[in-house]
Amino acid sequence: MGYSRIPDLWNDTTETVHDGYLPDGNGVGRPGFEEEHTIDGLVVIVDKRALERECLARGLVEHHPAFRVRAVGSLDELRHIADASEPSVFLVILGARKVTDQSVRADLLHFVAEVGAVPVIVVADSDEPGEVLAALESGARGYIPTSVTVRVAAEATGLARAGGIFVPASCILALREVIHATANSARPLTGMFTSREASVVEALRKGKANKIIAYELNLCESTVKVHIRNIMKKLKATNRTEVAYKLREMML
C-alpha cells in the first residue's frame, strides 16, 4: 500500500481486525460464520484511542456482519501491515476535536489526499452545521456525529462505500432554520423598496462606496445617488450611517 506517513493526529501502534465476526473471550469467532455471510471490502477505523476504535469496530460488525473491519491508530500503521487488504472506506474519529480548527482541518485534508479515491467519513462529537460543512469541504464523503446510534453509523458507512454522502439529519434541520430565518429577516424590506433600490440597500449594508455600487450594478453614479436619496426618504434617515443603522435594526 503506497500511503505515506500521516501527521500524528491519529498516531498509535495498536491494531485489531474483525473479519466479519466478533471474537469471543478466547479470541475465537463463531464456527461456520464465513459460510453464512458474504464478506464486504475492508472498513478501516483510524483513531489514536484504542478503546474508541475498538468499540466502534465491534459495533459496526454487530450491526453489519458483512463488514470486515480493521481498527488502527494511524494510516502509517496500516501501510506497514503486510496482509492489509485495500480499504473500501476510512472512518476517521476526531472525538471532541473540530474540523474548523486550522490544524485539524489541515491534517484531514492531508489524510484525504493520501488515501485518494477511497471515501473518508469523519466521526466527531459535534453536529454543528459548520463542522459538517468544513468536513465535506475538506473532501470527506460523510460526517457521523457521535450522538447517533451504531446502526446509523453502519448505514452511513455503507452509503459512503456505495458512492453516497451521509449528512446527519440534525444538520439539515439546523440549516433549514437558518434558511427560514434569513428569508424572514428579508421580509421587512419587501414592498418598501423597488428591486433596484433593494440592490442598493444590500450594498449599503455592506458599506460599499457609491462608485463601487454603480460599477457592480452597472449604473451611473448619479443614478445611485438618486436611489440612495429615495432610500433615505423612505427610512426617514438623514445620512448613510443612519440608513445602515436603521437597516440593521429592521433585519434583527
Side-chain angles (χ1 to χ4, degrees):
M1 192 172 298
Y3 305 131
S4 62
R5 182 170 178 80
I6 289 296
D8 290 335
L9 182 61
W10 300 288
N11 185 36
D12 203 353
T13 57
T14 305
E15 64 87 18
T16 298
V17 180
H18 299 287
D19 286 320
Y21 61 85
L22 297 176
D24 60 21
N26 297 317
V28 179
R30 294 194 297 271
F33 189 86
E34 293 188 0
E35 285 81 21
E36 299 174 9
H37 296 273
T38 300
I39 304 302
D40 288 343
L42 184 65
V43 176
V44 178
I45 299 173
V46 185
D47 187 7
K48 66 180 181 180
R49 301 164 301 176
L51 181 60
E52 296 289 335
R53 65 180 186 249
E54 281 289 309
C55 290
L56 181 55
R58 288 175 172 270
L60 289 179
V61 172
E62 181 177 321
H63 286 79
H64 200 310
F67 279 168
R68 196 161 65 88
V69 181
R70 183 182 294 274
V72 297
S74 68
L75 186 59
D76 186 55
E77 175 189 335
L78 180 67
R79 184 170 65 89
H80 286 92
I81 298 175
D83 63 345
S85 303
E86 189 68 24
S88 62
V89 64
F90 286 94
L91 272 65
V92 176
I93 305 180
L94 297 182
R97 290 163 292 181
K98 294 190 173 184
V99 186
T100 49
D101 291 346
Q102 186 174 359
S103 61
V104 177
R105 185 164 186 169
D107 284 341
L108 180 59
L109 284 165
H110 188 187
F111 190 101
V112 171
E114 286 293 321
V115 301
V118 182
V120 174
I121 302 177
V122 169
V123 182
D125 294 345
S126 175
D127 62 353
E128 297 176 2
E131 293 299 312
V132 178
L133 292 175
L136 297 180
E137 289 171 353
S138 300
R141 298 299 302 273
Y143 187 101
I144 303 176
T146 53
S147 58
V148 305
T149 64
V150 176
R151 182 184 63 82
V152 173
E155 295 296 332
T157 302
L159 176 63
R161 295 173 63 200
I165 298 177
F166 177 81
V167 176
S170 59
C171 175
I172 301 298
L173 294 175
L175 289 174
R176 185 183 68 177
E177 292 301 320
V178 171
I179 293 171
H180 285 176
T182 302
N184 291 335
S185 66
R187 287 173 185 169
L189 303 182
T190 304
M192 178 178 289
F193 304 112
T194 66
S195 59
R196 183 60 74 182
E197 287 173 350
S199 298
V200 176
V201 163
E202 184 61 28
L204 290 174
R205 288 182 60 238
K206 296 178 180 178
K208 295 182 179 180
N210 290 355
K211 289 183 178 181
I212 300 300
I213 297 174
Y215 175 78
E216 292 183 346
L217 299 181
N218 196 27
L219 297 172
C220 297
E221 190 173 351
S222 59
T223 304
V224 171
K225 292 179 180 179
V226 171
H227 286 311
I228 292 176
R229 284 198 297 269
N230 290 336
I231 292 168
M232 291 171 59
K233 183 177 180 181
K234 291 179 180 181
L235 293 176
K236 295 181 172 56
T238 57
N239 53 52
R240 289 171 62 106
T241 301
E242 192 174 356
V243 167
Y245 174 79
K246 291 193 172 186
L247 288 172
R248 185 171 64 252
E249 290 295 310
M250 292 174 65
M251 300 297 283
L252 293 177

